């Protein structure tokens, strides 16, 4: 929850990889069934300038709860900020802060406050949303769900409603580790070296991983000082009427953008020490994505575009209350319109309505690509396969980049393969038994 367990993928290019020279459909429909974050959407937005002139990509996104929808709307808003309003580096660091850190810099918290009124009006006023946030459609959400979205966004800026994420994080850490809590540094190192790195997440450095496991702050640079709780990581516990942190505490937000890079020099290591951290690779990849979204042309990297802290020791320090954001602070609302993409749209689906929606007759063979997140696999039934186009592909996220035991990871992949056989799906992955996959890809047999 809050981030995915597989790398960001351009799903249009993934379809073309297996389409056998077929031309892209005029309406290219993609179902994201619990992706965890908008990484796949961003990957397509970055390459929108490569799409045929007459092609339109329509994303249908299913999230688990309205707090998750609100967070993804905020992350998309950051990504769609106009270059005249925010620098490329500023946007990259803002996105990383909100995306992966339990505590924010004061500037990031100020941004959320400034944009909240815009987001609330986009949720409650359809005409305003069509004008100022045209990429997104919330028409599939019931009014009750929109009220929950508004309540969540209001909570983000409510000074009187605390979110003691540091206390909540420590309490869950103690509960999860039990008697091993006093030896947690060794547990963190075991999970990284014997689980994540052994399965291909070698770009994650011990220091950044251990720091994240201890504090929930994943992305750190020397000039950063995170001090304000990140309320976008909060979920409302209705029975207890309390905001809690119930997200992932073992893999982290490094997987989506921090493991692979087009610039291969960033993946080098010497004597087991990476030249660049997963944090640095994340910064580089997001910079490329946001540059191409703004400029509509390929990104050309320079050494100045990335930090290189793989071998550095960055002491995160103690998280202290900040004076950068107070109850009496006056922050001007940011109501500026966002970037427009006439050839891409994102429709959010209601979790309560998804079965009725996906079993509609007009959605038979509707989706050229279906992505199924690993947490959502138990909810993905065989009848939903009918929505996959006869030439489409379906991608199942595995548990490769989790800290589950190896046998549990293999067992989950076996469940996916059994499901595919039962529903007449044919694997298009390599047949190598030693190959680890974060995504298992299938087509209709």
């Amino acid at each position: 929850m809050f981030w995915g367990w597989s790398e960001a993928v351009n799903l249009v290019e993934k379809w073309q990889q297996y389409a056998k020279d077929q031309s892209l459909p005029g309406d290219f429909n993609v179902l994201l069934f619990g992706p965890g974050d908008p990484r796949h959407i961003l990957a397509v937005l970055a390459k929108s300038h490569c799409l045929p002139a007459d092609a339109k990509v329509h994303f249908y996104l299913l999230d688990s709860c309205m707090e998750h929808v609100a967070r993804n709307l905020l992350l998309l808003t950051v990504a769609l900020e106009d270059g005249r309003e925010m620098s490329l580096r500023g946007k990259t660091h803002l996105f990383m802060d909100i995306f992966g850190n339990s505590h924010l810099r004061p500037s990031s918290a100020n941004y959320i406050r400034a944009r909240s009124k815009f987001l609330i009006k986009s949720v409650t006023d359809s005409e305003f949303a069509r004008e100022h946030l045209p990429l997104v459609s919330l028409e599939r959400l019931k009014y009750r769900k929109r009220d929950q979205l508004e309540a969540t966004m209001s909570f983000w800026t409510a000074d009187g409603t605390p979110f003691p994420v540091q206390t909540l994080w420590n309490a869950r850490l103690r509960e999860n580790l039990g008697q091993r809590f006093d030896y947690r540094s060794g547990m963190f190192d075991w999970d990284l070296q014997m689980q994540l790195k052994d399965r291909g997440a070698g770009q994650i450095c011990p220091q950044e991983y251990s720091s994240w496991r201890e504090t929930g702050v994943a992305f750190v640079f020397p000039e950063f000082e995170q001090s304000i709780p990140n309320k976008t990581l909060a979920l409302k516990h209705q029975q207890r009427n309390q905001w809690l942190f119930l997200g992932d505490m073992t893999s982290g937000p490094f997987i989506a953008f921090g493991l692979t890079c087009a610039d291969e020099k960033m993946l080098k290591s010497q004597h087991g020490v990476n030249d660049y951290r997963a944090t640095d690779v994340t910064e580089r990849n997001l910079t490329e994505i946001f540059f191409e979204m703004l400029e509509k042309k390929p990104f050309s990297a320079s050494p100045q575009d990335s930090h290189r802290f793989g071998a550095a020791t960055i002491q995160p320090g103690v998280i202290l209350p900040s004076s950068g954001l107070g109850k009496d602070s006056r922050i001007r609302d940011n109501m500026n319109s966002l970037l427009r993409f006439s050839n891409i749209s994102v429709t959010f689906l209601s979790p309560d309505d998804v079965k009725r929606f996906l079993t509609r007759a007009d959605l038979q063979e509707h989706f050229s690509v279906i992505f199924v997140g690993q947490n959502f696999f138990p909810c993905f039934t065989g009848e939903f396969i009918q929505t996959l186009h006869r030439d489409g592909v379906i991608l199942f996220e595995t548990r490769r980049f989790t800290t589950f035991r190896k046998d549990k990871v293999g067992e989950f992949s076996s469940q996916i393969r059994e499901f595919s056989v039962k529903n007449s799906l044919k694997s298009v992955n390599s047949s190598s038994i030693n190959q680890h996959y974060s995504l298992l890809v299938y087509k209709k047999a």
Side-chain angles (χ1 to χ4, degrees):
M1 185 175 288
F2 298 125
W3 39 76
W5 281 269
S6 57
E7 309 92 325
V9 175
N10 184 335
L11 296 175
V12 175
E13 291 183 355
K14 180 65 70 171
W15 178 86
Q16 291 173 325
Q17 180 181 346
Y18 302 110
K20 297 181 180 179
D21 299 324
Q22 296 183 56
S23 59
L24 198 71
D27 287 306
F28 189 87
N29 299 301
V30 179
L31 173 63
L32 299 176
F33 202 84
D37 56 53
R39 64 193 184 281
H40 302 314
I41 299 174
L42 297 183
V44 174
L45 283 170
K47 301 299 181 183
S48 63
H49 59 279
C50 300
L51 295 172
D54 59 342
K56 295 184 182 297
V57 180
H58 306 285
F59 287 99
Y60 295 81
L61 177 57
L62 175 70
D63 279 303
S64 57
C65 58
M66 290 303 102
E67 293 90 343
H68 209 168
V69 173
R71 175 175 157 86
N72 281 335
L73 278 172
L74 176 62
L75 290 172
L76 284 172
T77 299
V78 174
L80 293 169
E81 288 288 355
D82 194 296
R84 294 168 293 184
E85 304 296 332
M86 186 180 299
S87 70
L88 183 60
R89 174 157 290 190
K91 179 191 291 192
T92 299
H93 288 170
L94 173 63
F95 187 96
M96 292 173 69
D97 211 17
I98 297 172
F99 178 66
N101 292 337
S102 64
H103 289 79
L104 303 172
R105 297 170 296 157
S107 60
S108 300
N110 289 342
Y111 173 85
I112 294 175
R113 290 181 66 123
R115 267 300 185 190
S116 288
K117 187 175 180 180
F118 170 87
L119 289 169
I120 290 172
K121 191 166 181 62
S122 298
V123 168
T124 57
D125 187 336
S126 298
E127 185 174 339
F128 177 88
R130 282 192 291 271
E131 174 64 25
H132 298 280
L133 188 56
L135 180 82
V136 172
S137 171
L138 302 174
E139 298 301 319
R140 296 295 314 175
L141 299 180
K142 299 178 181 178
Y143 288 111
R144 178 168 57 87
K145 296 299 183 183
R146 297 194 201 186
D147 290 342
Q148 292 177 16
L149 280 180
E150 182 181 2
T152 298
M153 293 168 179
S154 297
F155 161 72
W156 291 347
T157 59
D159 294 324
T161 309
F163 179 54
V165 65
Q166 189 170 10
T167 301
L168 296 169
W169 186 279
N170 290 337
R172 277 194 64 202
L173 196 59
R174 286 181 177 274
E175 180 182 358
N176 293 341
L177 296 181
Q179 295 180 344
R180 300 172 296 172
F181 179 80
D182 291 337
Y183 311 99
R184 58 191 180 279
S185 60
M187 289 297 305
F188 300 160
D189 188 62
W190 173 271
D191 286 342
L192 176 62
Q193 302 294 341
M194 305 305 294
Q195 306 289 12
L196 295 174
K197 280 182 173 288
D198 187 56
R199 296 169 193 165
Q203 203 58 43
I204 305 175
C205 294
Q207 182 187 349
E208 63 181 336
Y209 181 75
S210 179
S211 176
W212 175 75
R213 289 290 299 268
E214 186 73 43
T215 66
V217 178
F219 302 128
V220 175
F221 295 101
E223 65 271 28
F224 282 15
E225 183 181 354
Q226 285 87 0
S227 56
I228 299 173
N230 184 356
K231 286 187 171 183
T232 72
L233 296 176
L235 294 176
K236 184 67 173 292
H237 193 293
Q238 298 297 337
Q239 293 179 340
R240 294 163 60 177
N241 193 30
Q242 186 178 2
W243 292 91
L244 303 174
F245 175 80
L246 301 173
D248 163 54
M249 297 180 68
T250 57
S251 294
F254 308 105
I255 309 300
F257 305 101
L259 298 189
T260 61
C261 186
D263 189 352
E264 294 186 358
K265 81 174 190 308
M266 298 198 68
L267 306 180
K268 291 182 178 179
S269 64
Q270 298 181 23
H271 309 294
V273 178
N274 295 336
D275 288 351
Y276 296 85
R277 304 170 296 166
T279 298
D280 304 325
V281 176
T282 297
E283 179 191 31
R284 160 63 175 77
N285 285 334
L286 285 173
T287 299
E288 177 177 350
I289 287 173
F290 295 151
F291 174 88
E292 296 195 2
M293 287 175 61
L294 285 167
E295 302 297 335
K296 305 289 194 301
K297 63 181 181 180
F299 176 69
S300 179
S302 67
Q304 291 75 31
D305 292 326
S306 304
H307 289 87
R308 183 177 180 177
F309 291 135
T313 299
I314 300 177
Q315 185 63 37
V318 179
I319 296 174
L320 298 173
S322 172
S323 60
L325 181 67
K327 294 181 180 179
D328 298 327
S329 59
R330 296 291 182 265
I331 299 172
R332 187 177 65 182
D333 294 331
N334 184 347
M335 304 298 287
N336 296 327
S337 297
L338 302 174
L339 295 177
R340 295 174 178 271
F341 291 84
S342 60
N343 54 353
I344 297 177
S345 67
V346 180
T347 300
F348 283 89
L349 304 178
S350 171
D352 300 341
D353 193 42
V354 66
K355 183 172 182 179
R356 186 170 66 86
F357 176 74
L358 292 180
T359 53
R360 284 169 28 184
D362 60 324
L363 290 184
Q364 302 300 301
E365 297 192 348
H366 185 72
F367 298 110
S368 295
V369 177
I370 297 177
F371 173 90
V372 183
Q374 60 103 359
N375 275 346
F376 277 64
F377 175 71
C379 306
F380 192 82
T381 64
E383 61 185 329
F384 295 159
I385 296 294
Q386 300 173 22
T387 65
L388 181 65
H389 193 273
R390 59 183 177 276
D391 297 319
V393 295
I394 181 168
L395 297 85
F396 294 100
E397 185 177 60
T398 71
R399 290 180 174 167
R400 174 186 179 185
F401 293 125
T402 67
T403 57
F404 289 107
R405 295 198 318 266
K406 187 175 295 187
D407 60 323
K408 293 296 183 181
V409 174
E411 181 182 324
F412 183 75
S413 296
S414 296
Q415 292 175 11
I416 294 175
R417 293 186 178 97
E418 290 171 4
F419 176 88
S420 66
V421 171
K422 183 178 179 180
N423 291 279
S424 303
L425 297 174
K426 179 178 64 175
S427 174
V428 295
N429 290 98
S430 168
S431 59
S432 173
I433 61 174
N434 295 321
Q435 181 71 40
H436 296 289
Y437 295 103
S438 55
L439 295 171
L440 293 177
V441 187
Y442 291 88
K443 297 188 68 173
K444 285 187 173 180

